[in-house]
Amino acid sequence: MTQPALAGRPAALRLPDAAWLQKYGVYLAVAVLLLFNALFTEHFLTADNLRTQLVQVAPVVIVALGMALVIGTEGVDLSVGSTMALASALLPLYLGYGLVPALLIALLAGIAVGLVNGTLVSVVGLQPIVATLALFVGGRGLALVVADGRLKQIVNPDLLALGSGSLLGVPWTVLIAGALALLVAGLVHRTTFGRRLVAVGGNRTAAGLAGLPVRRILCGVYVICGVFAALAGVLATARLTASDPSALGTLMELSAITAVVVGGTPLTGGSVRVLGTVTGALLMQLLRATLVKHDLPDSTAQIAQAAIILAAVYAARERRSR
């Protein structure tokens, strides 16, 4: 006799299901963290501290946006950290010719990495994790060769302005990350390429049978991901005032994948959540900053991040099983 009563329970009294958590959980988590810090963390919600948090998370957001497009096609790109290092290593070699040529060379390196990854996935037929693993290792090695294995200081004032300058009080790195988020959102939701990308991720075989240019779409998303990673490497170099290919971009691929997954984009492809990806990156940054402010070791932050990833993947798994 209790079944009918439970079935008639108002929807507002039911606990959130996996689909709700996957869609809105990341926003709720960010709100909870902000509320906690507002109440218990001294000087956390000051303008200077919030500016610092946004500047630190901007490169992660940029890389995660490219990663979201790749994951949307049921792929993954493990080479983004190495691409950042390669772009950073190339900058000092060409800054003597001016900022624009140096930036173009760095971005061309991202295009080249993306073309290699995209070709291995779409033409050769390798699994994305295997294809991009090659440049995960080889790309950083190439960056170290280009830089002679040494850290090089950056003195070009135009490049340094990208890392420390601002417009109307908003840092350039944050403005660039925000502009790219809007660009990717428009690409996914307003263009034919975006709709085709989602279709390929949903069912690659069916997309091919429907006449979609699957190979070009796959190459395109890996190229975009490579360019975004190279740009993130440039901005990180400008902020650090040095090119350090041995350290720059280390574990960035994991940070980007975490932001995408926590933001609600399924690893099985067929969907890209741009706002969720940006919020996922902010969540990981806020979580780490909160723990640091309360004198907890970095290992605690890593464990907390792992727990959040498991919760996000479990929510996605539960949603698919329904």
Side-chain angles (χ1 to χ4, degrees), residues 19-30:
W20 190 95
L21 287 174
Q22 186 185 22
K23 190 173 183 179
Y24 300 110
V26 64
Y27 309 114
L28 177 62
V30 168

Side-chain angles (χ1 to χ4, degrees), residues 53-70:
Q53 302 305 321
L54 290 175
V55 168
Q56 289 179 349
V57 81
V60 180
V61 169
I62 293 172
V63 177
L65 289 170
M67 186 70 75
L69 296 177
V70 172

Side-chain angles (χ1 to χ4, degrees), residues 6 55-56 71 83 90 97 127 136 158 181 207 217 227 232 234 242-243 261 274 294 300 308 311 319:
L6 291 174
V55 168
Q56 289 179 349
I71 291 178
T83 304
L90 289 169
Y97 299 98
Q127 290 291 327
F136 168 78
D158 295 326
I217 293 169
V227 170
V234 170
S243 170
V261 173
V274 178
H294 289 269
T300 304
I308 292 175
R319 184 179 183 180

Side-chain angles (χ1 to χ4, degrees), residues 30-53:
V30 168
V32 170
L33 269 180
L34 288 174
L35 179 61
F36 174 85
N37 285 298
L39 296 175
F40 302 109
T41 306
E42 188 176 0
H43 305 306
F44 191 90
L45 295 183
T46 61
D48 287 341
N49 182 63
L50 292 178
R51 176 190 172 100
T52 300
Q53 302 305 321

Side-chain angles (χ1 to χ4, degrees), residues 217-236:
I217 293 169
L218 289 175
C219 278
V221 296
Y222 281 97
V223 167
I224 293 173
C225 189
V227 170
F228 280 20
L231 178 59
V234 170
L235 295 176

Side-chain angles (χ1 to χ4, degrees), residues 70 74-78 121 126-133 204 222:
V70 172
E74 201 180 2
V76 69
D77 189 349
L78 298 181
V121 172
L126 294 180
Q127 290 291 327
I129 193 171
V130 176
T132 59
L133 185 62
R204 188 179 302 183
Y222 281 97

